[in-house]
Structures are given as C-alpha cells and as structure tokens.
Amino acid sequence: MRPVVSAAAGLLRARLSVTVWILGAVFLQAQTAGAQADSFEALESTVSSVRDALLSNSTTCRLVVSSFLARIEEFNPTINALVSLNPNALSDANDVDERLAAGDSNGKLLCVPILLKDNYDAVGMNTTGGSAALVGNRPSVDTPSVKAFKDEGGIILGKTNLHEMALEGLSVSSLGGQTINPYDHTRTPGGSSGGTGAAIATSFAIFGTGTDAVNSLRSPASANNLVSVRPSRGLVSRAGILPISFTQDSIGPFARNVQDLAVALTVMASVGADEADNATLLVPPEARGIDYSQDLNSGGLGGLRIGLLDGFWNHTASDETSPVIDALASTIDFLKSQGVEIVNVTESIYNATAIAKLDVQQFEFKEVVNRYLSSPSLAGGRSTTWDEVYGSGDFLVIPAQYSFVNNSRSSTTADTGYATAQQGIENLKAAIKATFVSNELDAVIYPEQKNLVVKIGSPSQAGRNGILAAVTGVPVVTVPVGFSPPSDDAPIGVPIGMEILGLPFSESKLLNIANHFTRLRPLRRTPAFADQSVQLGSYAGMPQMHPNSSNIPSVYPLGRLSTS
C-alpha cells in the first residue's frame, strides 16, 4: 500500500522543487556571467564592440584592457611595435568600471584602448621620438588630443615605435629598434608612424595615433591594411607634439575601419582653436564642431567625379610595382562599376618628384625642435636642444638622411630658399583648387606608394606619394585596395593602399567616400601570424615593455652623420 501524503506535505515538496529550480537557474546564470566577464575578444574589435560588451555587463573595462595586454605580450616580440606601456592603464580601467557601476556610461571612447606614437606628450610616459638621447624626456601636460581622448573615456595603453624623430619611413630608431611589418616579416611597416600601423593591424588597441610631415600617417596605413586620415592643416592642434615642421606637420588617427576612424577624428578635432598652435586659429567656423561619424552612410558612390593623378603612378612593371599597378587598376574598375566617373588629371604639376622640391622641413626642423625641448612642461634627464640631440652620439640617422640633418643644422626660415618654397606651395594650393573646380571633382585618388613597402635594410622608403598633401595641407583619407600575391614571406600578401585627397576641410566627404568604398569592397584582413585569440592573463599590474633595439640593421650605424 502506498503511504498517504498530506496536502501540506505535497505543497512543501512543490515549493522545495521550485526553490531548487530557481537557485539552480541563478547559479547557472552566475556561472555564465562569470564566464563572460572573464573574457573579451580583442581581435579586430571596435569602438562599438567595446561599448556593447560593457553595457551588456559581459565584461569589465579592466578585462578589456587585459585582453589587449595579452595580445601585446604574445605578438609584440615578433613585430617590435611598442616602446612603452602606460603604467596607469589598469588603474584607469578600474576608474571606468567604478563609473559604470555608478551608472555613468558617458564618453565617445568609453574604455577604448588607444596607442600613441611616441612623439605625443602624455602624462606618465616619456616622449622620446624613438631617440635614445631623449629617453628621459618627461612631460607634465598632455597633448590636447590625448587629453580629449581621456575626457571621452579612452584608455591610453602605451607608446609605439617610429622612425627616429619621425624623419623617414623605415620605422627604425635607436631606442625602439626596427619595427617589423606584420604581413611580411622581411619588410618594413612604412613610417614614420610604423609602430602604430603594425600595432593596430595586429589588434594591440582599437585605434592609434600618428603624425605626418610627408607620408607618415598614410604610408603605415597602406603597408598595414588600415585606414587613416591626415586632417586639413589647423583642424587638429599639434601642441605637445615633438615636431619636424610647422608648415607640414599634421596629426591624426589610424584604425581598422572607417567608423572608428571617424570617431577618433571627431574627438581629436574637438579641441578646436588652440593658441599654442596658430594654424588652428585660421580654421573657418563651419569646419568646427563636426561629428564625422554622423554622415558616413549617407548617399553613395554613384555620381561622384574622381580624378586620377597619373603622375603619381610608376607604370613600369616589376615585382615591386606590378602588384600596385594591378590593385589600382582593379580599384578603378570597381569604382566605375559603382557609377563613379573617373577623370584623368594629367597636368605636369602633379609630379611627386617635382613637388618634393617644395619640402621645407630642413628649414624648420631645428627651430621647432628647440622650441619644443625648451617647453616648461618638460623635465627629466635628456638632451634639451637640437644640437645636444645630434651631438650626443645616442641617435640613429639613416645614411640617406645625413645630408638632410646636416643641412638642418644651419638652415633657417630666413634663407631665400625657404621663401621660394613657400611661394611654390601657395601656387600649388591654387593649382589644386583650380583642378577641382575645372573638372568638377569630388576627390582625387592615387597609390600611396608606387611600389610595395620596402624591405628591412633598404636605403629609404622609396616611391611614396604623400608630398602633395604634406606641403599644401589638404586632407587625405587612406584606404586598403588589395594585396600582392601571397608568398612564403607574405602568407596573405603585402598590403597596398590608396590615398583619397580633397579640398581643405572636406574630411566629411572623404570619410563618406571611404566608408562606402570599404563596405562595398571589404579588404581588411588580420596578419596571418596573429590571426588567433589569445588566452587572457591575470594582471595585478602593468607588464614591463622592453623594445628590441638589438635588431637594428647594420647598414644604419648609430651616432653617425657621415659615411667617413
């Protein structure tokens, strides 16, 4: 006979079952949340993916930062892209987590890890320009763009290597050594902002920064399958930057996609007029206060008129030029298929070699470096003048630049050659405007480099086309247009990029064109050696960064300014 069960006992058993079920569900949910909160996938992540993960409580800012540190520890020994890490990055991430716990999720860059080229002043890290002579150069004030990043919730993760003093495009320095192209370890990453380019391509941060006096925001974007923007002169303050040229210097961001690039530029340009950089005082009011992410998706490519600068091509086929020729030909065919009208621009003035004669860096270099090094916001054991830097023996100048540095020692803005070059620049600005107006152009395009990015140990970064925008101060957005054929050294090929140039303060239009182009023709690919997730480490504090300066090619002797 079955035992008799009272109604009260049955009710108690039912309640216990429900309670056990609820507790089990809560435990499972806690386990799931815990598993989610132990990870964040840094590989190819974006500004929006960081924000979404934080607001869904699937991760914390500390874990986001830790995920990028894990990638840096795993892959940076191969490419040597970083020179230092921000000792405060994890504590800054904790501050963001406290804000989030209090319900504050404001900030365009909430917990976005950012890497800075090591010629940006940032409190807590030295600004070296890659020079061993400036290893102790310690700023007490942030570059305005860096402050803007922090104000929007960004996390400064560290500093990247560069071609020393940002003078060339090989990205080798006495302090940081030789940075390696992540797509082909026998090649350079472009430059001078090559450390940033290699780092962002390998997902060491969401985006990074660079400077550009001739090619340095565009060359690494081209060589590392990234997008970048060289803003119009004056749009972004250059205060707090270790400079080369008041006329030609520009600063801007690199990213893996145009959306993140637009957000980064919006924050950098939000600084506005800055009395510490007179060029910012000349920007028209209508070019201020723009959110460059707002109109990225409006319109389309159909109906655009885009010029081709034929003088910026090398039409002679070779192993190094043919991949560029083919990638640009394919790009032009694609643009035509989208309804773009291509206009050949053949005026003889558009010749990169001829335009290079207008380069004024050697007249301004010593003056602007001395002005920067005399800033009261700098301290520490370091060289304090241009002469001390190049008299210290603790520097690297590649032989191809011996004459530039030696000429800079005595050249000044009072030289007649400087006035002649400046007049030539004004004539070139007028010619660009006339070309756009007479041909009714929306933009012009050309390869960033006539050939593939050069091999490690090359005499210079030959074949680049950045000089037109550098001397005239017009904006350029660089986008990927393809790869060379795969090889043993380059498993998915060497990246190739294209410049999209516009009239002053046409950044919104250029970014719109770039966004449509990259979405319709997605060519972004992760470097093969780093195309994998990395197990998250446990970081009680920031790891130490030790750049490899022992890998400098012997053809670049230290402390030399002549071959004798």
Side-chain angles (χ1 to χ4, degrees):
M1 175 183 293
R2 296 176 61 191
V4 178
V5 180
S6 70
L11 180 60
L12 177 60
R13 181 177 297 170
R15 285 177 175 173
L16 285 171
S17 297
V18 170
T19 301
V20 169
W21 180 85
I22 290 173
L23 288 173
V26 169
F27 177 73
L28 180 61
Q29 185 179 30
Q31 275 194 317
T32 303
Q36 290 173 331
D38 283 341
S39 63
F40 174 81
E41 181 52 78
L43 179 61
E44 297 292 321
S45 55
T46 66
V47 170
S48 61
S49 71
V50 171
R51 175 174 284 274
D52 291 346
L54 291 170
L55 297 188
S56 66
N57 295 316
S58 64
T59 193
T60 65
C61 187
R62 188 180 181 92
L63 287 173
V64 169
V65 171
S66 296
S67 70
F68 285 97
L69 292 177
R71 288 192 66 82
I72 290 169
E73 286 202 299
E74 180 71 20
F75 299 120
N76 190 64
T78 300
I79 60 173
N80 199 38
L82 272 62
V83 295
S84 63
L85 291 172
N86 178 9
N88 301 314
L90 285 171
S91 62
D92 291 343
N94 291 340
D95 291 342
V96 171
D97 285 329
E98 290 179 7
R99 284 177 46 200
L100 286 166
D104 179 4
S105 60
N106 292 322
K108 290 183 174 68
L109 301 176
L110 185 69
C111 190
V112 169
I114 303 162
L115 286 168
L116 306 175
K117 184 178 182 178
D118 194 16
N119 57 357
Y120 280 63
D121 284 348
V123 175
M125 289 175 285
N126 292 352
T127 304
T128 72
S131 174
L134 294 174
V135 69
N137 185 44
R138 197 160 187 84
S140 60
V141 178
D142 287 327
T143 298
S145 288
V146 174
K147 183 179 183 303
F149 290 152
K150 293 178 179 179
D151 289 346
E152 291 290 347
I155 305 292
I156 306 304
L157 199 54
K159 295 280 200 81
T160 59
N161 195 26
L162 64 156
H163 193 100
E164 185 151 332
M165 301 295 280
L167 290 182
E168 231 278 353
L170 301 173
S171 293
V172 59
S173 71
S174 57
L175 179 66
Q178 174 69 65
T179 297
I180 312 298
N181 189 300
Y183 294 88
D184 180 342
H185 297 167
T186 70
R187 293 183 185 266
T188 64
S192 62
S193 312
T196 303
I200 301 307
T202 316
S203 294
F204 289 174
I206 297 294
F207 68 84
T209 67
T211 60
D212 188 320
V214 182
N215 291 279
S216 302
L217 278 161
R218 295 159 286 160
S219 166
S222 175
N224 292 280
N225 195 227
L226 300 173
V227 291
S228 72
V229 56
R230 185 192 206 276
S232 302
R233 187 170 190 267
L235 185 66
V236 178
S237 172
R238 302 164 298 179
I241 299 291
L242 176 55
I244 304 173
S245 164
F246 178 74
T247 298
Q248 295 175 211
D249 277 340
S250 181
I251 73 172
F254 295 91
R256 292 181 291 273
N257 63 77
V258 176
Q259 295 78 19
D260 288 354
L261 189 72
V263 174
L265 179 61
T266 298
V267 174
M268 296 181 81
S270 71
V271 172
D274 181 3
E275 291 185 357
D277 181 355
N278 289 340
T280 65
L281 307 180
L282 304 176
V283 175
E286 60 271 19
R288 289 296 185 198
I290 296 173
D291 184 342
Y292 294 102
S293 65
Q294 286 299 301
D295 295 323
L296 289 178
N297 297 315
S298 64
L301 296 177
L304 293 176
R305 286 175 59 85
I306 293 182
L308 298 183
L309 294 188
D310 185 72
F312 283 24
W313 259 259
N314 183 340
H315 295 291
T316 302
S318 72
D319 290 344
E320 295 296 300
T321 60
S322 293
V324 178
I325 295 169
D326 294 344
L328 267 293
S330 175
T331 298
I332 292 164
D333 288 344
F334 173 78
L335 291 172
K336 288 178 178 177
S337 76
Q338 299 299 309
V340 174
E341 186 174 355
I342 299 296
V343 180
N344 287 318
V345 177
T346 58
E347 288 100 316
S348 60
I349 193 171
Y350 297 115
N351 180 292
T353 303
I355 295 170
K357 296 176 181 177
L358 303 179
D359 189 326
V360 297
Q361 291 178 97
Q362 75 171 24
F363 300 105
E364 298 177 342
F365 180 40
K366 184 175 181 178
E367 178 183 333
V368 296
V369 167
N370 282 337
R371 186 183 306 143
Y372 167 82
L373 291 175
S374 67
S375 170
S377 66
L378 299 178
R382 62 198 170 91
S383 297
T384 58
T385 66
W386 188 100
D387 286 322
E388 287 183 10
V389 170
Y390 289 108
S392 66
D394 294 327
F395 64 84
L396 185 155
V397 174
I398 61 172
Q401 289 232 299
Y402 287 167
S403 62
F404 170 84
V405 174
N406 287 321
N407 289 340
S408 296
R409 187 182 302 277
S410 57
S411 297
T412 74
T413 54
D415 293 355
T416 56
Y418 182 72
T420 301
Q422 288 288 3
Q423 184 56 57
I425 290 171
E426 292 304 313
N427 295 340
L428 185 57
K429 289 179 183 178
I432 292 174
K433 183 175 181 179
T435 296
F436 269 77
V437 171
S438 63
N439 292 286
E440 299 180 322
L441 298 178
D442 294 286
V444 298
I445 59 174
Y446 47 89
E448 201 295 316
Q449 193 162 5
K450 300 179 181 75
N451 43 268
L452 298 178
V453 67
V454 302
K455 294 274 190 175
I456 291 170
S458 294
S460 68
Q461 194 64 254
R464 297 184 296 171
N465 287 320
I467 190 65
L468 178 61
V471 295
T472 60
V474 298
V476 172
V477 173
T478 304
V479 296
V481 292
F483 291 83
S484 69
S487 67
D488 290 343
D489 291 329
I492 62 174
V494 178
I496 299 164
M498 177 181 77
E499 296 195 22
I500 309 173
L501 178 146
L503 290 174
F505 307 109
S506 62
E507 281 83 356
S508 289
K509 176 183 282 189
L510 299 181
L511 288 166
N512 176 272
I513 294 171
N515 188 56
H516 286 297
F517 176 80
T518 55
R519 287 195 170 199
L520 292 168
R521 202 165 187 249
L523 294 170
R524 168 68 200 156
R525 298 182 68 184
T526 302
F529 92 102
D531 193 7
Q532 58 188 282
S533 299
V534 175
Q535 184 174 356
L536 184 63
S538 177
Y539 295 101
M542 290 294 292
Q544 295 295 307
M545 176 56 56
H546 301 287
N548 179 15
S549 60
S550 68
N551 71 347
I552 297 171
S554 60
V555 292
Y556 311 139
L558 297 179
R560 297 277 296 276
L561 287 174
S562 72
T563 56
S564 58

